[in-house]
Amino acid sequence: MAREEIGTIIRQKRESLRISQEAVAFVLEISQAAYSKIERNETKLKVEQVYKIADYFGITIYELLPPALASDITGENIFGLIYYYSKLVLKKIIALFQGKRSQSKA
């Protein structure tokens, strides 16, 4: 899969999740017009944008993009990605337990 298809893959996933371009653009802190250029493959994605999009969609970058392409974009190996997503999961678990704690005190 060629690099210029990244925007197309993201658009297909966004549409399957029924998320608007405006919502994704807001998460990326860019305009809807700028985000539209990403989906049309007119603008290259930054590494942080790939992570933000995947996180917003509730998936890993490997679910968003083919593994070889994801590694190529991020320049990371699998261990770096495992570390990154382990931190995200840990944060979510901590937030979940903190939420349950505050509910039980109420």
Side-chain angles (χ1 to χ4, degrees):
M1 192 159 289
R3 183 176 290 248
E4 48 275 354
E5 295 180 19
I6 294 170
T8 305
I9 295 167
I10 291 170
R11 179 184 50 79
Q12 290 169 346
K13 186 64 177 177
R14 178 187 58 76
E15 289 175 346
S16 74
L17 294 169
R18 298 177 186 235
I19 299 171
S20 69
Q21 284 188 341
E22 291 84 3
V24 182
F26 180 79
V27 168
L28 295 178
E29 300 176 1
I30 59 175
S31 69
Q32 181 275 328
Y35 177 75
S36 180
K37 286 183 178 184
I38 290 171
E39 287 193 355
R40 291 192 317 261
N41 302 301
E42 296 174 7
T43 301
K44 291 184 179 181
L45 283 167
K46 297 176 184 171
V47 173
E48 65 190 37
Q49 290 174 320
V50 174
Y51 281 112
K52 283 183 177 182
I53 292 169
D55 188 48
Y56 184 65
F57 290 173
I59 60 176
T60 67
I61 62 169
Y62 284 106
E63 292 172 281
L64 183 61
L65 305 171
L69 187 58
S71 295
D72 185 40
I73 290 171
T74 62
E76 294 182 352
N77 61 32
I78 189 68
F79 299 110
L81 294 173
I82 289 170
Y83 175 75
Y84 175 80
Y85 283 106
S86 297
K87 283 178 27 180
L88 285 179
V89 169
L90 184 59
K91 283 182 183 179
K92 289 182 181 188
I93 291 171
I94 290 169
L96 178 69
F97 281 112
Q98 287 175 343
K100 286 185 178 183
R101 261 193 192 164
S102 64
Q103 288 176 358
S104 65
K105 289 180 181 180

